[in-house]
Amino acid sequence: MFDLKKTILIYGLSLAVLVFLLEYFEYRYFVHELSTEVFVFLIAIIFTGLGLWAGKKLTNQTKIEPPPFEQNEKAIRYLKISERELEVLELVAQGLSNKQISDKLFVSVNTTKTHLSHLYEKLDVKRRTQAVEKAKSLKIIE
Amino acid sequence: MFDLKKTILIYGLSLAVLVFLLEYFEYRYFVHELSTEVFVFLIAIIFTGLGLWAGKKLTNQTKIEPPPFEQNEKAIRYLKISERELEVLELVAQGLSNKQISDKLFVSVNTTKTHLSHLYEKLDVKRRTQAVEKAKSLKIIE
DNA sequence: ACGGTAATCACCCGAAAGTATGATTTTGCA
DNA sequence: TGCAAAATCATACTTTCGGGTGATTACCGT
């Protein structure tokens, strides 16, 4: 949007300058040396280019944006989910077992289970699959 | 891509026709009635329009498509996942327990477990969470 | 009529997950 | 410094899952 004014301005200026230059040179040099046909052709080319350029500028505010995952920090804070709990949650979402998670985080299975219990309470769910579902819908995890 | 040739063709034809018309009328009517300045202005406007149009045609192959979930039928067929198994898979993905799934489908827990076993085998996973993960990545489920 | 596949169910057993409770240590912050 | 939250671990118990095996029924196409 902020580009629109600039684009229009540049386009207008270009047009004005061109008209001025053409008008200026027209009677003095070109008309007598170049045929009107060629002159018209040049004008056509130039303004086609300008049209293309302006069109591109005016429409290219449709930039393809691959939806970047934005973690819902607010939800995390609101639910008081701790850093460690989040780590566990992410690993659960990857389909890892409690044992595998524990090995990755260098803690005992008991610790992992404790984190999970707290997570279930905070997310108000009963099972890991539900936790993953809910966490994804809340954009707590990807 | 298939539009490109058409666009160029139309553009070229328009240009040719215009040049021809201009050349034709130039000496007969306009030049003596309209000033060259106005004439140039008209050409500029016309070809700006053409440039805009061509530019739009040439760049508008970027259609914003809101990714509609398309179930990967091929994968389902390739993996030989049956209808019933798919139902179970979807319910698992919703975080339901085997018991809950069984109640929904009016079958015994054993049946649900059998379906799940087959699913794990076909999806080459060990746990329900992994199955959900994989099924989603294969676009077998949403 | 036969063979294959899908769906259904049962039983058993071990592994994994989840619950409850309590304890210790670490850490961040007032 | 001291307190609260977070992280860690343990023990014990229940529930759920998952694997293995086998059986019955039904449907579908040859």
Side-chain angles (χ1 to χ4, degrees), chain A residues 11 15 19 22-23 26-27 31 35-37 39-41 43-45 47-52 54-56 58-60 62 64 92-97 100 127-130 132-133 136, chain B residues 11 15 19 22-23 26-27 31 35-37 39-41 43-45 47-52 54-56 58-60 62 64 92-97 100 127-130 132-133 136:
Chain A
Y11 181 79
L15 200 142
V19 166
L22 290 167
E23 190 180 348
E26 188 172 42
Y27 294 102
V31 167
S35 71
T36 309
E37 196 179 337
F39 183 67
V40 165
F41 183 71
I43 301 291
I45 294 292
F47 278 88
T48 294
L50 272 176
L52 279 167
K56 194 182 174 192
L58 259 50
T59 60
N60 252 27
T62 53
I64 28 158
V92 166
Q94 288 169 27
L96 302 193
S97 69
Q100 291 173 312
R127 269 172 293 284
R128 59 208 304 67
T129 39
Q130 287 182 331
V132 171
E133 260 298 286
K136 282 188 180 175
Chain B
Y11 181 79
L15 199 142
V19 167
L22 291 168
E23 190 181 347
E26 186 172 42
Y27 294 102
V31 169
S35 71
T36 309
E37 196 180 336
F39 183 66
V40 165
F41 183 72
I43 300 291
I45 294 291
F47 278 88
T48 295
L50 270 176
L52 279 167
K56 195 182 174 195
L58 259 47
T59 60
N60 251 26
T62 55
I64 29 157
V92 166
Q94 287 167 28
L96 302 194
S97 69
Q100 291 172 313
R127 271 173 293 284
R128 51 175 62 231
T129 39
Q130 288 181 331
V132 171
E133 262 296 286
K136 283 187 179 176

Side-chain angles (χ1 to χ4, degrees), chain B residues 121-137:
Chain B
E121 209 178 322
K122 291 170 182 177
L123 288 173
D124 189 31
V125 296
K126 291 284 181 190
R127 271 173 293 284
R128 51 175 62 231
T129 39
Q130 288 181 331
V132 171
E133 262 296 286
K134 190 144 190 178
K136 283 187 179 176
S137 76

